[in-house]
Amino acid sequence: MIETFVRNTVRAAESVRLLELGPVDGIPLPGFGAGDHIDITLAPGLTRSYSLVGTPERDPSSYRIAVALDPESRGGSRAVHESVHTGSRLVISEPAGGFRLMESAPHSVLIAGGIGITPILSMARRLTQLEAPWEVHYAARSRHAAAFLPELSALADSGAGGLRTYFADEDGPRSLKIASLVADTSGEPHLYCCGPASMLADFEEATRGLGPDRVHLERFRGDLPPAVDGGFTVELARSGKALGIAPGATILDAVLDAGVDVDFSCMEGICGSCRTRVLAGEPEHRDTVLSAEERAAGDTMMICCSGTKGTRLVLDL
């Protein structure tokens, strides 16, 4: 973990705050790749993941994140907007992520909805550095709600790539037709999407017939509620503990209550931080991280949200 302070905060768009973080000890921050995120501890028990904006070459001594105020916030975005100020201390993780840019792709189609533009902007910048072709399709409620629009426009105007915007108040709701966009794309580009659940559902449906290695997406939150039915036992092989999972609790809740230290972040099965090896038993997967093949194998699970189809699990903890 890295201790940082907030160097500056600015309004990036309507209901969007941009934070610049610097290291407290002055040691350069670790490098990161386009699409990576960091976990930020906002309060005890409240950790959230946010995509890094930009490229490390821009300023290796700082990170930038953009946070949209979610009306349904469970504490994360509201804490950033109401409690984090210039000078605030924040503990963060090193950069990580599974939403990685394939830099060798012949062409990249980048699709963003709302605050989903944060990793997409980083990808467009990196591709520009590589002089690799790209196009961004950016949907938002309005121009006022579209973060980083001037930066994206400047990149596109420089001839580095293409930008098309879709604003609900000007073009109508859901004016970005992802199915048509994918169908009209020639060659074998890599396609990326980050945005709300409805956009990701359209993207998954439109790209279903494409090779999975060419399709990349990142979610804000899980599609399914966590498994909290309880009534089963989890054995921790390395710790030598047997835990009864009570109704209303997740496996992660029980593991932490038992004093076992495990990594976790999003609590929704979208970041992969709590990925745990399964030694016995059949998981009931509720995450959005594992592939179909990994789910079928049944030898790993996200303990923050998944449960079991049986009465017993043995975990490598």
Side-chain angles (χ1 to χ4, degrees):
M1 305 303 287
I2 304 168
E3 189 173 1
T4 67
F5 72 100
V6 180
R7 284 182 170 173
N8 192 27
T9 69
V10 297
R11 182 179 182 271
E14 185 177 86
S15 300
V16 177
R17 290 189 78 193
L18 178 66
L19 275 60
E20 181 183 356
L21 309 178
V24 169
D25 56 14
I27 298 175
L29 295 167
F32 63 92
D36 280 359
H37 70 265
I38 55 173
D39 297 336
I40 300 181
T41 301
L42 297 167
L46 182 61
T47 302
R48 294 291 184 267
S49 300
Y50 297 106
S51 296
L52 289 166
V53 182
T55 58
E57 291 83 359
R58 178 179 179 134
D59 184 357
S61 68
S62 67
Y63 289 157
R64 294 197 306 160
I65 62 167
V67 182
L69 180 60
D70 184 351
E72 299 179 1
S73 171
R74 296 182 298 115
S77 68
R78 190 164 299 281
V80 171
H81 278 254
E82 297 179 357
S83 303
V84 176
H85 310 284
T86 299
S88 295
R89 298 286 185 99
L90 294 174
V91 175
I92 69 173
S93 70
E94 292 193 1
F99 192 49
R100 290 288 176 86
L101 179 67
M102 302 301 293
E103 297 183 350
S104 60
H107 187 71
S108 298
V109 178
L110 312 172
I111 304 170
I115 198 60
I117 194 62
T118 50
I120 295 300
L121 174 59
S122 295
M123 291 178 175
R125 281 186 172 145
R126 178 58 179 160
L127 291 168
T128 297
Q129 291 178 338
L130 297 171
E131 298 183 347
W134 57 266
E135 59 185 88
V136 167
H137 297 264
Y138 184 14
R141 296 192 313 275
S142 67
R143 293 181 185 274
H144 298 298
F148 307 115
L149 187 56
E151 295 181 52
L152 276 168
S153 298
L155 277 179
D157 290 344
S158 71
L163 170 65
R164 183 172 178 185
T165 56
Y166 310 79
F167 301 122
D169 65 343
E170 298 178 16
D171 308 308
R174 297 176 69 89
S175 53
L176 170 54
K177 307 300 183 184
I178 294 180
S180 298
L181 171 62
V182 172
D184 293 342
T185 301
S186 59
E188 294 189 350
H190 278 244
L191 298 100
Y192 303 80
C193 186
C194 183
S198 58
M199 171 178 279
L200 294 178
D202 290 346
F203 180 76
E204 287 184 297
E205 180 62 30
T207 58
R208 196 175 302 280
L210 302 181
D213 59 319
R214 291 173 46 209
V215 178
H216 317 270
L217 60 83
E218 184 167 66
R219 300 180 187 276
F220 297 153
R221 56 170 59 91
D223 290 336
L224 299 173
V228 292
D229 292 340
F232 58 92
T233 300
V234 171
E235 298 176 18
L236 310 184
R238 283 187 280 124
S239 303
K241 298 183 178 183
L243 310 178
I245 310 302
T250 65
I251 296 174
L252 177 61
D253 292 333
V255 169
L256 294 174
D257 287 344
V260 178
D261 187 23
V262 295
D263 291 334
F264 68 96
S265 176
C266 70
M267 308 289 284
E268 294 183 335
I270 62 174
C271 73
S273 297
C274 67
R275 183 169 182 154
T276 302
R277 284 183 60 211
V278 178
L279 304 179
E282 185 178 6
E284 179 193 4
H285 298 292
R286 299 286 183 94
D287 68 278
T288 61
V289 177
L290 298 177
S291 66
E293 292 77 11
E294 289 172 321
R295 291 182 175 221
D299 57 3
T300 188
M301 68 184 298
M302 306 303 154
I303 61 174
C304 71
C305 62
S306 299
T308 179
K309 296 180 180 179
T311 59
R312 174 178 172 267
L313 281 173
V314 181
L315 303 179
D316 186 23
L317 291 173

